[in-house]
Amino acid sequence: MRIPCPLCGNRDLREFTYLGHETYLDRPAPGDAEALDSYLHLRDNPAGETGELWYHGLGCGAWLHVQRNTVTHEIGAVTLASEKVAP
Ligand SMILES: [Zn+2]
């Protein structure tokens, strides 16, 4: 699998580290223990199109938002995570 980094171009998967689903960016407010527990331990495992966070550790060091099909591993849009706009 290859990921098209917006800064480096099309690169091999081994250069990247997977962080998790895009909802990992939506941290609960401090002090809400139940929400924090759900955030840390209760995750969906979607089949099909999903948004994920990847780190280009052996490249530019950027965090990326990657649209990927978890069934076919087809990569869609890839943007810098810092540019991700809330839906
Ligand atoms: Zn890169």
Side-chain angles (χ1 to χ4, degrees):
M1 188 168 85
R2 297 181 74 80
I3 297 176
C5 175
L7 301 176
C8 305
N10 210 19
R11 304 300 282 262
D12 190 88
L13 170 68
R14 291 173 288 188
E15 295 186 8
F16 298 85
T17 302
Y18 174 77
L19 173 65
H21 192 261
E22 63 186 343
T23 55
Y24 205 67
L25 293 174
D26 303 325
R27 295 183 182 176
D32 188 343
E34 189 172 326
L36 181 61
D37 181 59
S38 293
Y39 170 78
L40 293 173
H41 304 292
L42 302 177
R43 303 264 173 85
D44 291 334
N45 189 18
E49 294 289 333
T50 188
E52 300 175 330
L53 299 171
W54 289 78
Y55 175 64
H56 196 184
L58 295 179
C60 60
W63 284 99
L64 306 176
H65 179 264
V66 177
Q67 288 292 327
R68 185 174 71 93
N69 186 313
T70 58
V71 176
T72 64
H73 301 292
E74 182 180 351
I75 301 290
V78 178
T79 59
L80 297 175
S82 60
E83 297 175 349
K84 183 177 182 316
V85 178

